[in-house]
Amino acid sequence: MLGRENYNLNAISHDTAISLLRNIIAKGVKVKDVYVDTVGPAEKYQAKLEALFPTLNITVASKADDKYPICGASSICAKVCRDRCMNEWQFPEKGYDISDSGCGYPSDPKTKKWLVDNVDEVFGFPQFVRFSWSTTEKIIDKRSVPVSWDDEEEEEENIPKINSFFKRVKKQTEIPRHRFYHEQGLTSLTEI
């Protein structure tokens, strides 16, 4: 489907922690020790942070909110902020009410009920909902109009799927130029 590319929770968490550290350091806060509750493998995450912030003492641990009081306090603050954001959420789409949506996690029965009650048979969910959850995908599959994309049926070789044009490219590769440019001896001008 021609939707957004998934940005998984581990990547969001890592990028957010890195951004927070960069911002507070840039504002002149003297940071010495950093304690982080891991998402994903703790060793890999710690190595990533240590490479980016070599002057800091970094501890990344599973269940850090139970082991380190500062992480526990941060976890409580984050949950309070998240709950406030959810309670004050204003949908850009009309006709949705968040007040009886539960905690917002897919395992919560109230959240599941809200999802079932608020799925649109054509458009799915409002942008507030994470479409990548398996819970969300199952509800869409069960309660929405089935869609068949022509490109999914094509099996010819050397024909790229339409969604391949929307994927992130890790390394920018040079696009081959049309033979006209080679035949005429034309090149790109990079300096005057």
Side-chain angles (χ1 to χ4, degrees):
M1 197 182 289
L2 301 178
R4 295 183 298 238
E5 186 172 328
N6 289 343
Y7 185 27
N8 76 44
L9 288 177
N10 289 9
I12 292 169
S13 180
H14 291 192
D15 292 347
T16 302
I18 291 165
S19 178
L20 285 169
L21 282 169
R22 284 184 175 148
N23 286 333
I24 62 172
I25 291 168
K27 291 182 188 238
V29 176
K30 296 189 184 333
V31 179
K32 182 179 175 187
D33 298 304
V34 176
Y35 294 89
V36 181
D37 197 353
T38 193
V39 286
E43 301 80 21
K44 187 176 175 183
Y45 189 17
Q46 183 160 335
K48 180 179 185 177
L49 291 173
E50 287 172 338
L52 292 168
F53 305 101
T55 61
L56 302 180
N57 298 318
I58 297 174
T59 302
V60 177
S62 178
K63 305 284 185 195
D65 55 343
D66 290 336
K67 296 175 185 174
Y68 306 103
I70 192 72
C71 280
S74 296
S75 180
I76 291 167
C77 291
K79 285 178 176 68
V80 168
C81 290
R82 181 189 167 282
D83 289 348
R84 180 179 294 158
C85 286
M86 284 202 50
N87 290 334
E88 296 175 1
W89 183 262
Q90 298 293 316
F91 286 96
E93 306 92 346
K94 303 293 180 214
Y96 293 100
D97 179 19
I98 198 80
S99 64
D100 201 27
S101 64
C103 70
Y105 291 107
S107 60
D108 176 36
K110 284 182 88 173
T111 300
K112 283 183 186 176
K113 181 179 178 344
W114 188 91
L115 289 169
V116 167
D117 292 346
N118 287 280
V119 65
D120 182 279
E121 65 180 14
V122 174
F123 299 108
F125 295 104
Q127 63 181 329
F128 182 77
V129 175
R130 191 172 296 139
F131 281 72
S132 61
W133 279 344
S134 63
T135 304
T136 309
E137 290 174 353
K138 288 174 188 170
I139 292 169
I140 288 175
D141 288 345
K142 185 176 180 182
R143 297 186 169 260
S144 296
V145 177
V147 176
S148 174
W149 298 93
D150 289 339
D151 71 310
E152 292 174 356
E153 296 171 9
E154 293 177 9
E155 294 297 327
E156 295 180 45
E157 287 186 33
N158 300 324
I159 297 179
K161 300 281 186 189
I162 190 71
N163 61 355
S164 69
F165 295 101
F166 299 98
K167 291 183 179 171
R168 282 192 194 147
V169 178
K170 291 185 180 180
K171 182 181 176 189
Q172 185 67 27
T173 56
E174 189 173 327
I175 299 170
R177 301 194 65 137
H178 190 273
R179 71 170 195 247
F180 171 82
Y181 292 93
H182 296 290
E183 290 170 357
Q184 300 301 317
L186 300 174
T187 59
S188 296
L189 180 64
T190 56
E191 291 182 19
I192 295 180

